[in-house]
Every structure is written in C-alpha cells, then in structure tokens.
C-alpha cells in the first residue's frame, strides 16, 4: 500500500498504524501503533520530549480512547526511547542487550557533539534538537530471542535480530496485519548506519523480515515500504560488505574506500556520507580490535560529505 511520507499517523491495516516523521535527516525516526479495543502497543518513542508529545497528541486525535499498555523499544539509540518517560505507565519492553546498553546511552552522550569546540559540521546534525528535561526511563521487561505480547485480542511477535545495527535490535511483527516494524535494521531511501555489526547479521535480518512475508514494512527512518525496499537495503549492505572487504585487503583507509564506493546504483539514497560509517563497521570486524572507532569515523563522515558536495569522488 502507498503511505505518504508526511509527518503524522498513517493507517497501515485495521487498527495498525505508523507514525512517520517526514524527514530522512538524523534524529527523525518512525514509530508504530498496534491497537485492539481500548488497548494499544507503541513501537518506540522519539528523540526529544517535544517530538514524543507531538506524536502522542497525533495518536490521541487519530485513535481516540486508546490506552497504551505496552511500549517496545527496538534498540538503544536515543531517537527510539528517550521519550519513554511520557508513557511511563506502560510496560516497556526491549531486548536484554538493548536495555543493558541504554544505561550507557542517555542524553548526556550528546553533550560532546554540542560543545562549542566541536566541529560545526558535526554539531549541525544535532543543533535542531532540545534534549532538556529527559529522564531516562528504562524497559521494565527484557527478553532474548523471541517474545509474544497480547494486545487485546491480537498477538504481536518480538524477534531479536541483533547484534546488527546495534547490539540488541528487535523487530516487531504483527501477523494478522502483515506488518513489520523494523527499527533501524532498515532505513528506506537513505544510507543507514551500522553501529555494531557484523554486517552479515544486518543482511540476515533483512532475510528474516522477508521470510515473515509481510506486505508492509515500517523502517526506523524514511517512508513506509514493502518487500522490494527490503531487498534494496539488503543489496546495499551486500555491496558495502564486498567493497569494504576488497578495500581493506588493498590497505585503504575507510575514508579512501568510501570515496571510491561508486554511488550511481544508490544515487537516490540520501545521506551518502554515512557510507564511511558502514565501511568502518566492516573494517572493525576484519581488524578484530575495535578500530576504526566511531569518533574518528564521524570526522571522516563530514570530510566525505564535503568531498561529495564538491563532486570529487573517484
């Protein structure tokens, strides 16, 4: 089905919705809502309290008399759980791995990126967001592997697919609606980011989503899509893995490899500079010593952005 890439609540199937933020920029994530009678399950909260309040207000208008009983946080990134305090009366669920990392991933981790002496090109990614007032509110229930939740008369499946994008990624499958909420395993229409890896697990997570047979897939960022968009992400990941492996064997840096990536096949993907982060994830796996770290890669990312904007890639 065609779902507009506009900010708001969009119906995917009976009593099944996506909350989409109509931007592919950093920090504008999607969420989901599964209802049955007066009960509801919310997939993810958002980066800031203001964003989350706007989402909850839109949900109240679109789906009146809904009581959010469950919240599922798909992973540890702040744009998927820092609004939890606004739904603190619900039972909050995540994977055990994600819950563990959340305790190291509060809003204070943004302070170095917003400091006055930070590269302004990096600061620009976050300056639009107000992280004040956030009280980290952690999951009250955790699991490994798979878990089923009951929402009214409906069953919702939680499937752990991490470590992949992060250490504890979870996808949310709504079998009776043919819908999957994929978190940041998938970003449609743009280059995603692999924080953890291995990249092979990200590829396998795409296969897991395809094997579920869902017709509608809500990515962590970007427009709602389906099987063809999942396949395109898998193709991109396979291309990144192959290109980075060859470049690593040739002794090239992650930035050199990114400049030689060859973007034509994915020229419609936004945020092309992020490819250096994904190449870096492959390099970390091959190096086996945690290098290159995310800090240096972020600086290489803004260097690559300048290169791409100047049209100087190989």
């Amino acid at each position: 089905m065609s779902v507009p890439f506009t900010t708001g609540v969009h119906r995917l199937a009976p009593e099944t919705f996506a909350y989409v933020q109509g931007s592919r920029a950093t920090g504008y994530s999607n969420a989901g809502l599964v209802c049955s009678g007066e009960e509801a399950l919310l997939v993810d909260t958002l980066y800031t309290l203001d964003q989350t309040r706007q989402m909850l207000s839109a949900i109240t208008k679109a789906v009146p008399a809904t009581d959010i009983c469950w919240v599922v946080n798909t992973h540890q990134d702040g744009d998927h759980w820092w609004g939890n305090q606004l739904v603190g009366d619900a039972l909050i669920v995540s994977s055990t791995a994600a819950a563990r990392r959340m305790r190291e991933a509060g809003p204070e981790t943004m302070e170095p990126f917003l400091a006055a002496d930070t590269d302004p090109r990096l600061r620009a990614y976050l300056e639009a967001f107000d992280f004040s007032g956030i009280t980290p509110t952690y999951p009250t229930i955790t699991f490994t592997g798979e878990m089923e939740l009951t929402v009214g008369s409906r069953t919702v499946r939680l499937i752990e697919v991490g470590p992949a994008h992060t250490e504890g990624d979870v996808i949310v499958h709504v079998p009776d609606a043919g819908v999957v909420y994929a978190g940041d395993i998938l970003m449609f229409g743009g280059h995603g980011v692999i924080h953890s890896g291995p990249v092979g697990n990200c590829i396998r997570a795409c296969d897991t989503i395809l094997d579920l047979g869902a017709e509608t897939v809500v990515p962590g960022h970007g427009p709602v899509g389906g099987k063809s968009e999942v396949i395109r992400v898998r193709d991109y990941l396979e291309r990144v893995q192959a290109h980075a492996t060859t470049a690593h064997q040739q002794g090239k840096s992650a930035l050199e490899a990114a400049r030689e990536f060859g973007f034509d096949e994915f020229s419609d993907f936004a945020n092309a500079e992020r490819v250096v982060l994904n190449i870096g994830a492959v390099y970390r796996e091959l190096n086996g010593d945690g290098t290159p770290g995310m800090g240096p890669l972020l600086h290489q990312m803004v260097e690559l952005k300048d290169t791409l904007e100047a049209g100087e890639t190989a």
Side-chain angles (χ1 to χ4, degrees), residues 133-169:
I134 295 171
T135 300
T137 303
Y138 303 111
T140 47
I141 298 172
T142 67
F143 72 99
T144 58
E146 297 191 22
M147 183 177 184
E148 287 191 354
L149 300 179
T150 300
V151 183
S153 61
R154 306 177 73 183
T155 298
V156 177
R157 298 177 64 204
L158 313 184
I159 304 170
E160 186 177 18
V161 294
H165 166 68
T166 63
E167 290 184 20
D169 299 296

Side-chain angles (χ1 to χ4, degrees), residues 248-260:
H248 186 273
Q249 292 169 345
Q250 294 170 344
K252 295 176 180 176
S253 70
L255 181 57
E256 288 172 329
R259 285 174 172 155
E260 297 175 359

Side-chain angles (χ1 to χ4, degrees), residues 4 29 56 67 74-75 107 124 140 162 185 294 305:
S29 55
L56 294 174
D67 179 21
T74 57
H75 61 290
T140 47
I185 289 296
M294 188 58 71
K305 184 176 182 180

Side-chain angles (χ1 to χ4, degrees), residues 24 186-193 223 228-240 261-275 278 308:
R24 294 184 177 89
L186 298 174
M187 300 188 193
F188 290 158
H191 292 252
V193 176
S228 62
E229 287 81 8
V230 179
I231 291 168
R232 189 107 190 277
V233 170
R234 186 183 64 186
D235 291 347
Y236 166 78
L237 293 169
E238 289 175 342
R239 168 81 179 284
V240 168
F261 178 67
F263 292 90
D264 288 351
E265 184 181 350
F266 302 100
S267 60
D268 58 322
F269 277 22
N271 306 307
E273 69 272 14
R274 293 177 181 169
V275 75
N278 300 330
L308 292 170

Side-chain angles (χ1 to χ4, degrees), residues 52-234:
T52 305
R53 286 190 188 101
Q54 290 171 18
M55 174 180 70
L56 294 174
S57 176
I59 287 172
T60 298
K61 291 177 182 177
V63 194
T66 293
D67 179 21
I68 296 175
C69 303
W70 298 100
V71 174
V72 178
N73 295 138
T74 57
H75 61 290
Q76 72 205 38
D77 289 350
D79 55 341
H80 296 262
W81 72 277
W82 283 355
N84 279 3
Q85 71 195 73
L86 299 180
V87 285
D89 291 338
L91 293 171
I92 303 174
V93 184
S94 78
S95 71
T96 301
R100 181 174 60 247
R101 290 306 306 273
M102 285 175 181
R103 296 187 178 275
E104 306 167 358
E108 70 280 356
T109 58
M110 296 295 102
E111 292 173 5
F113 297 102
L114 294 168
D117 59 351
T118 299
D119 186 327
R121 297 173 298 177
L122 281 175
R123 206 164 55 237
Y125 285 96
L126 297 172
E127 285 180 325
F129 300 104
D130 177 7
F131 299 116
S132 63
I134 295 171
T135 300
T137 303
Y138 303 111
T140 47
I141 298 172
T142 67
F143 72 99
T144 58
E146 297 191 22
M147 183 177 184
E148 287 191 354
L149 300 179
T150 300
V151 183
S153 61
R154 306 177 73 183
T155 298
V156 177
R157 298 177 64 204
L158 313 184
I159 304 170
E160 186 177 18
V161 294
H165 166 68
T166 63
E167 290 184 20
D169 299 296
V170 169
I171 61 173
V172 180
H173 180 214
V174 189
D176 66 0
V179 172
V180 169
Y181 301 96
D184 284 1
I185 289 296
L186 298 174
M187 300 188 193
F188 290 158
H191 292 252
V193 176
I194 302 168
H195 295 302
S196 175
V199 178
N201 280 4
C202 299
I203 294 167
R204 283 188 284 276
C206 291
D207 288 332
T208 296
I209 292 167
L210 291 168
D211 289 344
L212 293 173
E215 294 296 329
T216 305
V217 180
V218 181
H221 298 258
V224 175
K227 295 176 183 177
S228 62
E229 287 81 8
V230 179
I231 291 168
R232 189 107 190 277
V233 170
R234 186 183 64 186

Side-chain angles (χ1 to χ4, degrees), residues 270-308:
N271 306 307
E273 69 272 14
R274 293 177 181 169
V275 75
V276 74
L277 305 180
N278 300 330
I279 289 171
V282 179
Y283 276 35
R284 279 196 299 276
E285 184 180 351
L286 295 172
N287 290 338
D289 61 359
T291 63
M294 188 58 71
L297 286 171
L298 287 170
H299 288 283
Q300 292 176 32
M301 180 185 73
V302 293
E303 287 185 40
L304 179 61
K305 184 176 182 180
D306 289 346
T307 299
L308 292 170

